[in-house]
Amino acid sequence: MEVERRRGAAAPRRVVLLADCQSFYASVEKAERPEYKDKPVVVAGDPERRSGIILAACPIAKQFGVTTAERLGDSLAKCPDLVIIKPRMQLYIDVSMTITRIYQSFTDLVEPYSIDEQFLDVTGSLHLYGTPEALARMIQARIQEELGVYTRFGIAENKILAKTACDNYAKKNDSGIYVLPKEHLRETLWTLPIGKMFMVGSRMTRHFNAMGIDTIGKLAETPLEKLKQLMRRKFGKNSDINAELYWRIANGIDDSPVRPGTHEVAPQSVGHMMTLPRDYARLEEIKVVLLELTELVCQRCRGKGFMGHVVSVGCMGADYDRPSGFSRQMKMADPTNVTNQVYRAAVELLVRHWDGMPVRKVGVSLSQLSADDEYQLSLFDRDREKTMALERATDAIKRKYGDATILRAVSITPAGQAQHRARKIGGHYK
Ligand SMILES: [Mg+2]
């Protein structure tokens, strides 16, 4: 397709919008409950616990310093009058789909990127509406009126720049709309610190800074070959592809089309709970089940194209009349669906919180899910790509031949449940 386009007449420059819903879950809740209109509102994963995590904070709550992903206890310290709402994911998914349909009334090229962000390619229909800003204003007003949700629009000639325009500019100006022409990168994007670049987290910021690259402009103007050399020194030869991706992002180069409907809206969490055939009283045994559950959860996430940022582990005692056990969650350094990484965090939770009492039920889940299409570019363990390739391969084999065909060695120990479980559902595989 790419080749065809180059061979043919020069393609018209595209007009791509990234539309983002402000404080999405909190906005939906406030629209549903007018009595909270002027109150600081958050949606929290586990409202009964101070360790629950803030999934969304409304602008009033943010004025108190409340931020997404922090613990509820920390938010309450900053804002004691906080209104705390339990998430209603099905409602948010429904509203997100209603918003998709509104976007689709302006163009058929709408690609949901996450539950509250969607790409629109309006190249073909723009002539009906005037300028891109005028179109964005029209959509913005309609969603505000119909759903009470405020949307912000980054506008550019491709997805990367539209996303960049939204995150760095549209979210911060009064209109919520920002056009970022590629010709103006030098005066805009390139002046920003490297940490503001799409896909660059705190870890990569440190690495780039150590290479002497502290602005997006410096990265953009580093010759690609030079950048590859710099990154190879740090991450090895496999980093060439990432070097090129970063370099392209900094230069605003992105040919990827807006693909309608390529994205499933992320569920709130993916988890598995298992009742054990007997009490497990030794840490080593519980760890085996924990690994199996983690593997299942990660496998499901990989299959659906999600990764999770928060891992939760729950263990329940055998005596249901005298409840013992714990349920705790922690945020990992980066979102992931790699079994070993999630397992490491899960074990940490187990070791820290298990009271030593016999366990009968174990559960693992991943939440704060996001799409995993970006993660080849965003993460750099030298072994990560190999690990991912291996996991994709084993997932495929399990899908085809059943879960028991490939088991981790520990699953064959007496504590393992994977073999037994796979047999139980084995009839469904062919
Ligand atoms: Mg948002």
Side-chain angles (χ1 to χ4, degrees):
M1 288 237 295
E2 198 84 317
V3 178
E4 265 168 50
R5 172 136 57 92
R6 289 208 185 112
R7 219 188 283 139
R13 191 187 277 217
R14 293 184 296 155
V15 181
V16 175
L17 278 52
L18 185 270
D20 165 86
C21 300
Q22 183 182 45
S23 314
F24 183 54
Y25 304 163
S27 302
V28 172
E29 293 294 349
K30 285 183 97 155
E32 291 265 313
R33 311 176 199 209
E35 68 272 24
Y36 294 148
K37 186 169 175 287
D38 301 315
K39 299 242 157 65
V41 167
V42 291
V43 175
D46 197 351
E48 284 82 44
R49 286 178 192 282
R50 296 176 66 84
S51 59
I53 285 184
I54 303 292
L55 302 175
C58 80
I60 301 175
K62 282 181 180 160
Q63 280 171 15
F64 286 90
V66 173
T67 58
T68 306
E70 72 181 1
R71 289 146 50 101
L72 186 53
D74 298 335
S75 309
L76 281 166
K78 296 174 199 165
C79 181
D81 296 329
L82 208 55
V83 176
I84 304 154
I85 297 178
K86 214 168 135 182
R88 293 190 286 173
M89 287 311 294
Q90 192 54 52
L91 172 66
Y92 312 147
I93 291 169
D94 293 346
V95 173
S96 178
M97 279 160 47
T98 304
I99 291 174
T100 304
R101 281 193 291 275
I102 294 176
Y103 295 149
Q104 283 168 340
S105 69
F106 294 92
T107 171
D108 55 344
L109 293 177
V110 177
E111 177 182 346
Y113 175 69
S114 68
I115 192 164
D116 69 336
E117 291 180 294
Q118 315 200 25
F119 287 108
L120 290 72
D121 184 331
V122 299
T123 315
S125 53
L126 188 61
H127 64 279
L128 300 169
Y129 305 103
T131 63
E133 293 100 310
L135 174 58
R137 268 198 303 277
M138 201 181 297
I139 305 175
Q140 190 182 49
R142 184 156 157 206
I143 292 175
Q144 181 73 53
E145 191 185 306
E146 289 184 23
L147 298 161
V149 173
Y150 180 59
T151 43
R152 286 84 57 97
F153 292 83
I155 304 172
E157 65 183 72
N158 60 43
K159 285 157 74 174
I160 287 281
L161 285 178
K163 169 85 175 133
T164 297
C166 187
D167 288 348
N168 289 295
Y169 300 105
K171 285 185 183 177
K172 288 164 191 159
N173 69 16
D174 290 339
S175 67
I177 297 168
Y178 189 88
V179 182
L180 179 59
K182 204 164 169 185
E183 298 73 34
H184 295 176
L185 293 189
R186 188 175 297 278
E187 309 87 78
T188 54
L189 187 61
W190 287 9
T191 64
L192 299 179
I194 190 71
K196 294 281 176 194
M197 196 173 96
F198 182 54
M199 302 267 152
V200 175
S202 54
R203 187 151 56 118
M204 259 332 272
T205 301
R206 282 196 301 277
H207 288 313
F208 279 133
N209 282 331
M211 295 172 200
I213 297 171
D214 56 356
T215 63
I216 300 178
K218 276 200 192 148
L219 177 57
E221 294 193 304
T222 303
L224 180 55
E225 279 313 309
K226 173 89 191 299
L227 182 64
K228 284 182 181 170
Q229 278 171 24
L230 286 170
M231 286 189 46
R232 262 183 227 163
R233 256 177 247 161
K234 185 83 212 167
F235 305 109
K237 200 162 178 345
N238 289 340
S239 64
D240 277 14
I241 188 165
N242 296 302
E244 181 156 356
L245 284 163
Y246 282 121
W247 186 84
R248 289 170 69 101
I249 294 170
N251 281 286
I253 301 167
D254 175 19
D255 295 327
S256 66
V258 173
R259 296 185 201 87
T262 47
H263 216 281
E264 214 180 312
V265 172
Q268 183 185 7
S269 68
V270 171
H272 262 288
M273 167 76 85
M274 193 192 293
T275 303
L276 303 171
R278 58 177 169 83
D279 293 351
Y280 281 23
R282 285 176 34 233
L283 182 65
E284 287 314 309
E285 293 184 304
I286 302 171
K287 277 166 75 175
V288 171
V289 180
L290 200 63
L291 176 59
E292 292 178 353
L293 284 166
T294 305
E295 172 92 310
L296 267 176
V297 167
C298 288
Q299 196 182 324
R300 264 174 66 198
C301 281
R302 293 192 293 267
K304 289 186 175 297
F306 300 133
M307 50 188 185
H309 210 161
V310 171
V311 58
S312 311
V313 171
C315 285
M316 249 167 73
D319 184 350
Y320 297 125
D321 294 328
R322 285 192 308 122
S324 66
F326 70 91
S327 172
R328 286 286 189 280
Q329 53 186 21
M330 73 182 260
K331 191 158 190 170
M332 296 176 288
D334 291 294
T336 181
N337 56 20
V338 171
T339 303
N340 287 338
Q341 293 178 342
V342 177
Y343 177 62
R344 225 174 292 145
V347 167
E348 209 182 310
L349 284 169
L350 175 67
V351 168
R352 212 186 295 158
H353 299 292
W354 182 48
D355 53 8
M357 298 289 284
V359 165
R360 183 60 72 87
K361 253 184 173 180
V362 184
V364 173
S365 73
L366 268 177
S367 56
Q368 284 200 30
L369 302 177
S370 55
D372 74 355
D373 18 288
E374 63 228 46
Y375 84 60
Q376 277 118 304
L377 357 172
S378 64
L379 289 155
F380 274 100
D381 285 50
R382 192 106 55 88
D383 295 331
R384 188 178 171 93
E385 245 161 64
K386 265 185 259 168
T387 309
M388 283 173 43
L390 177 67
E391 294 196 333
R392 273 194 301 271
T394 51
D395 289 351
I397 293 170
K398 285 180 181 179
R399 263 197 305 277
K400 195 157 179 198
Y401 302 106
D403 275 336
T405 44
I406 300 177
L407 293 170
R408 285 174 192 263
V410 287
S411 289
I412 305 168
T413 64
Q417 287 297 303
Q419 231 175 340
H420 172 66
R421 207 180 41 251
R423 259 199 306 276
K424 275 210 293 203
I425 51 172
H428 298 295
Y429 291 95
K430 249 277 157 79

